[in-house]
């Protein structure tokens, strides 16, 4: 099963610029979480901080009892091997074919024989639908294939935590749906804890068990998908409905003056469609059910008292009877 990731009071600055402050959340083991946020809100910085590549000034990130911020470098290095990181741009070596790119972590970090490497690489290439493209160079394939190759490479060391940086960027809507399904299928097959950062609304609506949002240097919210999808927090509503009206502006975040003008103009008269919560994606036929589903169900029911009415209604609508249990 995937490993829990506990983030406590995390604050990261570059010089005088605070990227975000006091971020606290827990990625539940084996569940899929999505972190939303406009461009430049520090999503990539967050992923790099979780894995210990960037060092926030305050707070901690606990993985298996190791603090990825202030723990001993040796422990951080060991713990990092539990992670698979899929970079935004794929980060493939341009002069290496896909097979060698995907085999790279195995050759670098293990002493596996070449026959064993071939077995693992082909298995992962099969999982992401790339069999037959082993000899292709990154420059010869589509953006979608490069993403999948980056994902396959993130999987070869059997990670228990998978971090994906904008798996949809540069992809058309159809390719994005394929990636969404692939991420859910992956979760069903390996039960890893997953964190996806994105600003894609389709991924947000269909993939995660949990969702969070970074905005104006804060974590606006983090919780079960239904909580965010039915949220009446203006910035969350605006983001998830893709509207112009609201706190988020053209230059990433509207300045205070524009915002004040808009509030004078009475933003509340702009009609907003009631939030609809579409069902979460299921694993493809033939795959096992996601083990996270039952764990999450127990977890969400345990926090029932803290959920607003709209979120409860959405949770109830999604609580189909679990296989093998009485309805
Ligand atoms: N290594 C760095 N040095 C200085 N500033 C950085 C560095 N990395 C990121 N930043 C700044 O941190 C902010 C958040 O960046 P990023 O995490 O890439 O945003 P996002 O991924 O949400 O688009 C940006 O203002 C960016 O310029
Ligand atoms: Mg980024």
């Amino acid at each position: 099963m995937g490993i829990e990731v506990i983030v406590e009071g995390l604050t990261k600055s570059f010089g005088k610029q605070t990227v975000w402050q006091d971020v606290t959340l827990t990625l539940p083991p084996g569940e899929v979480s999505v972190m939303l946020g406009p461009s430049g809100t520090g999503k990539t910085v967050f992923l790099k901080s979780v894995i210990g590549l960037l060092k926030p000034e305050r707070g901690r990130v606990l993985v298996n009892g190791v603090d990825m911020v202030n723990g001993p470098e040796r422990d951080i290095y060991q713990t990092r091997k539990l992670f698979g990181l899929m970079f935004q741009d794929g980060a493939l070596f341009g002069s290496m074919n896909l097979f060698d790119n995907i085999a790279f972590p195995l050759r670098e970090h293990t002493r596996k024989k070449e026959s064993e490497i071939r077995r693992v690489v082909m298995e992962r290439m099969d999982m992401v639908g790339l069999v037959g493209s082993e000899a292709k160079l990154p420059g010869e394939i589509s953006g979608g294939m490069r993403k999948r190759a980056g994902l396959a490479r993130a999987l070869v060391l059997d990670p228990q935590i998978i971090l994906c940086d904008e798996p949809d960027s540069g992809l058309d809507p159809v390719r994005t749906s394929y990636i969404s399904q692939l991420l859910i299928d992956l979760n069903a097959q390996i039960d890893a804890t997953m964190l996806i950062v994105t600003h894609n609304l389709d991924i947000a609506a269909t993939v995660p068990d949990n969702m969070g949002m970074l905005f104006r240097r804060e974590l606006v919210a983090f919780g079960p998908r239904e909580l965010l999808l039915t949220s009446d927090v203006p910035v969350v509503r605006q983001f998830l409905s893709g509207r112009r009206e609201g706190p988020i502006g053209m230059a990433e975040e509207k300045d205070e003056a524009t915002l004040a003008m808009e509030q004078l103009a009475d933003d509340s008269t702009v009609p907003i469609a009631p939030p609809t919560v579409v069902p979460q994606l299921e694993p493809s036929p033939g795959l096992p059910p996601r083990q996270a589903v039952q764990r999450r169900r127990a977890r969400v029911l345990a926090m029932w008292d803290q959920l607003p009415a709209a979120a409860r209604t959405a949770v109830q609508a999604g609580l189909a009877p679990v296989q093998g249990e009485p309805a």
Side-chain angles (χ1 to χ4, degrees), residues 14 17 19-20 37-46 48 54 88 165-166 197 214 252:
F14 291 108
Q17 180 210 3
V19 183
W20 27 251
S39 307
T41 46
K43 300 185 296 299
T44 300
V45 168
F46 185 70
K48 288 183 175 168
L54 284 173
Q88 185 165 354
D165 197 351
E166 305 213 17
V197 308
L214 288 169
E252 284 149 26

Side-chain angles (χ1 to χ4, degrees), residues 47-258:
L47 288 189
K48 288 183 175 168
S49 301
V50 166
I51 200 167
L53 293 174
L54 284 173
K55 298 291 175 185
E57 292 71 46
R58 284 205 302 278
R60 24 181 227 169
V61 176
L62 294 175
V63 179
N64 262 357
V66 173
D67 179 0
M68 302 300 284
V69 180
N70 293 310
E73 253 337 289
R74 190 169 28 90
D75 294 357
I76 293 176
Y77 182 81
Q78 289 302 331
T79 307
R80 200 175 285 146
K81 291 181 186 165
L82 301 172
F83 285 83
L85 176 57
M86 177 191 179
F87 291 93
Q88 185 165 354
D89 53 10
L92 302 172
F93 300 107
S95 59
M96 262 185 210
N97 68 29
L98 293 192
F99 184 94
D100 291 332
N101 260 294
I102 296 166
F104 188 82
L106 289 167
R107 291 179 174 148
E108 199 76 350
H109 294 293
T110 73
R111 289 157 192 240
K112 288 191 196 307
K113 288 195 300 239
E114 204 50 34
S115 58
E116 174 66 2
I117 289 178
R118 168 155 287 274
R119 191 189 63 72
V120 176
V121 171
M122 292 313 291
E123 199 178 285
R124 294 301 179 256
M125 288 188 85
D126 188 33
M127 276 174 100
V128 304
L130 279 179
V131 170
S133 304
E134 298 91 300
K136 296 229 166 72
L137 291 173
E140 298 171 339
I141 58 174
S142 69
M145 288 171 81
R146 277 195 294 272
K147 295 275 188 201
R148 285 183 278 141
L151 185 57
R153 189 176 58 183
L155 296 176
V156 290
L157 294 177
D158 291 323
Q160 286 172 284
I161 307 161
I162 299 172
L163 309 178
C164 297
D165 197 351
E166 305 213 17
D168 55 288
S169 67
L171 300 190
D172 62 59
V174 175
R175 279 354 179 313
T176 301
S177 326
Y178 277 110
I179 278 278
S180 295
Q181 185 66 54
L182 185 55
L183 292 167
I184 286 293
D185 288 353
L186 189 62
N187 184 251
Q189 289 169 85
I190 65 179
D191 196 26
T193 305
M194 295 168 65
L195 176 62
I196 302 160
V197 308
T198 183
H199 45 231
N200 185 281
L201 298 183
D202 288 317
I203 293 183
T206 60
V207 174
D209 298 302
N210 310 293
M211 220 188 277
M213 183 167 173
L214 288 169
F215 184 65
R216 290 221 174 107
R217 295 166 285 284
E218 308 272 355
L219 180 68
V220 181
F222 186 87
R225 65 194 289 270
E226 296 87 351
L227 183 66
L228 279 278
L229 292 171
T230 61
S231 173
D232 53 13
V233 175
V235 62
V236 178
R237 288 298 296 279
Q238 184 193 0
F239 197 84
L240 289 173
S241 60
R243 300 184 322 138
R244 280 199 318 279
E245 297 79 14
I248 311 171
M250 179 81 155
E252 284 149 26
E253 296 167 19
K254 285 180 188 170
D255 59 61
E256 303 293 335
T258 317

